[in-house]
Amino acid sequence: MDNIKIYKSIVDDKQSTIRIDRFLAIAYPDISRSRIKSLLLDQQIRLNNQLIANPSYKVKAGDAIEMTIPETKDIDIVAQKMDLDIIHEDDDLIIINKKAGIVVHPAPGNYDNTLVNGLMYHCGDSLSGIGGVKRPGIVHRIDKDTSGLIVVAKSDTAHSGLSELFQKHDIERLYQAIIWGRPNPVDGSIEGNIGRHPVQRKKMTVVGMDSGKHAITHYKIIKSLSMAASLIECRLETGRTHQIRVHMTSMGHPLIGDQTYGNPTKNRLANLSKETQLFTRNFPRQALHAKSLGFTHPVSGEKLHFEAKIPDDMQGLINILHQ
């Protein structure tokens, strides 16, 4: 009971005629508007001593509003100690350089040893609660076998703000990938809706404009790696499931190591030594790395930019291909 918080406020003349959820979000900027809406629906807000569940109600001068925030609930996820590569951390968010092979969030088949399990252990009581639940706020994900930067919210306000930035595509995200072949042109944009594959349901694919989700990937070649492969940089304008992997495969240039979306042609392999052929065939994951992340801090307003160098396994792949 000690952790229950009660906020009381009176509407003045200048604040009348605005929605109650907006009034409360202005009065208490540390509480996100989405959280306020959920409190309204959960009957945790009283207007003039009467429960109110309508977020669009327009307040009037003299209205007395009482908002109760219940005790933050613990989530049923086991906290596990992990070796996290923390690039930045403050009261509201944390930036992790994720290793390849780590799943971001628990799901069927992966209930432990995920990034969330590790963050539950690392953050502990510094998690202020997302939507009333003490948990890390996942606003975007990178695939299990993709390495690189991911931002996670620690507070409800940061979670709401980061979600809005991603929704507006107002976040800079650059990836590095090693692909089969050499795209023509050497830089450009791939625009194509992405949806679930009609037959292979675990795969995504480029679909017609009347289905799936709009997706745009901007790419450019950073380095040619023999006649068989290229190191490219991709900037995401949207963030769809497997977007870079699907878009590059649609151009005929799948990522090296990507067992889901494509293998090299015989002609491309013929340009490689037997040693290099063996190395690329046995590369254990898609060669994809989330290199940089830039955005405006959703709480402080500070401009942030982070970079993570290409991991050793991908650098080794570059080296052997460039011989």
Side-chain angles (χ1 to χ4, degrees):
M1 296 294 290
D2 292 341
N3 291 327
I4 293 176
K5 297 179 181 178
I6 298 176
Y7 299 82
K8 296 181 179 182
S9 51
I10 303 293
V11 180
D12 62 30
D13 292 335
K14 294 180 181 179
Q15 298 167 316
S16 62
T17 73
I18 67 173
R19 289 169 53 117
I20 189 170
D21 59 346
R22 184 164 179 265
F23 167 81
L24 290 168
I26 293 170
Y28 308 107
D30 289 342
I31 306 171
S32 70
R33 194 164 171 179
S34 60
R35 176 66 171 134
I36 290 167
K37 286 184 179 179
S38 68
L39 289 170
L40 281 160
L41 296 175
D42 290 341
Q43 297 189 331
Q44 297 292 338
I45 296 177
R46 289 179 174 271
L47 173 70
N48 301 323
N49 210 32
Q50 298 292 320
L51 289 172
I52 180 171
N54 179 13
S56 63
Y57 169 82
K58 292 183 178 180
V59 299
K60 301 179 181 65
D63 278 349
I65 301 172
E66 181 180 295
M67 177 169 63
T68 300
I69 298 185
E71 184 175 3
T72 303
K73 300 175 183 177
D74 289 327
I75 191 170
D76 189 21
I77 294 178
V78 177
Q80 294 175 301
K81 188 174 183 179
M82 295 178 65
D83 181 19
L84 300 176
D85 184 2
I86 300 169
I87 304 299
H88 169 86
E89 183 176 11
D90 57 43
D91 290 342
D92 295 288
L93 55 82
I94 184 169
I95 310 290
I96 301 291
N97 181 18
K98 186 184 82 68
K99 297 177 183 177
I102 296 177
V103 174
V104 171
H105 197 278
N110 287 287
Y111 285 110
D112 57 9
N113 296 313
T114 72
L115 184 61
V116 168
N117 294 110
L119 286 169
M120 290 289 292
Y121 181 93
H122 171 79
C123 296
D125 291 337
S126 69
L127 293 171
S128 63
I130 310 296
V133 179
K134 190 179 289 186
R135 64 180 172 89
I138 304 299
V139 291
H140 71 125
R141 303 186 189 192
I142 53 179
D143 297 334
K144 173 185 176 181
D145 290 325
T146 298
S147 58
L149 297 175
I150 180 170
V151 56
V152 180
K154 294 170 61 179
S155 70
D156 196 54
T157 306
H159 185 258
S160 178
L162 287 170
S163 297
E164 186 174 353
L165 289 175
F166 274 94
Q167 190 173 25
K168 292 180 177 178
H169 312 306
D170 201 13
I171 285 196
E172 173 203 333
R173 285 180 290 168
L174 287 178
Y175 287 73
Q176 288 182 326
I178 304 170
I179 59 171
W180 289 111
R182 179 179 172 85
N184 185 19
V186 296
D187 63 85
S189 300
I190 309 168
E191 185 170 3
N193 285 21
I194 292 177
R196 188 69 57 184
H197 194 285
V199 177
Q200 297 170 294
R201 303 303 293 173
K202 291 186 177 181
K203 292 177 64 173
M204 309 301 287
T205 189
V206 173
V207 295
M209 296 302 290
D210 58 345
S211 61
K213 293 183 178 180
H214 183 236
I216 301 177
T217 303
H218 306 285
Y219 74 89
K220 65 178 180 181
I221 293 180
I222 302 300
K223 182 186 293 186
S224 291
L225 306 172
S226 74
M227 295 294 291
S230 304
L231 171 66
I232 64 168
E233 187 172 87
C234 294
R235 179 171 63 84
L236 293 184
E237 190 167 318
T238 55
R240 309 306 180 198
T241 302
H242 300 175
Q243 180 172 318
I244 292 173
R245 299 164 64 190
V246 171
H247 270 172
M248 295 314 301
T249 299
S250 73
M251 286 187 68
H253 301 286
L255 276 62
I256 291 180
D258 193 339
Q259 301 301 315
T260 301
Y261 290 104
N263 293 309
T265 63
K266 290 183 179 179
N267 288 338
R268 286 171 179 162
L269 282 174
N271 290 314
L272 301 175
S273 68
K274 290 185 178 180
E275 178 190 8
T276 305
Q277 287 184 35
L278 183 64
F279 191 92
T280 56
R281 284 185 182 279
N282 291 330
F283 197 74
R285 67 177 181 103
Q286 66 263 7
L288 183 61
H289 176 66
K291 174 192 174 186
S292 68
L293 193 62
F295 57 93
T296 300
H297 195 293
V299 179
S300 70
E302 180 185 1
K303 297 287 186 181
L304 300 176
H305 181 84
F306 306 97
E307 294 213 1
K309 71 175 185 177
I310 201 161
D312 291 344
D313 62 344
M314 284 180 62
Q315 187 60 56
L317 181 59
I318 291 169
N319 293 343
I320 196 167
L321 284 166
H322 199 51
Q323 289 178 351

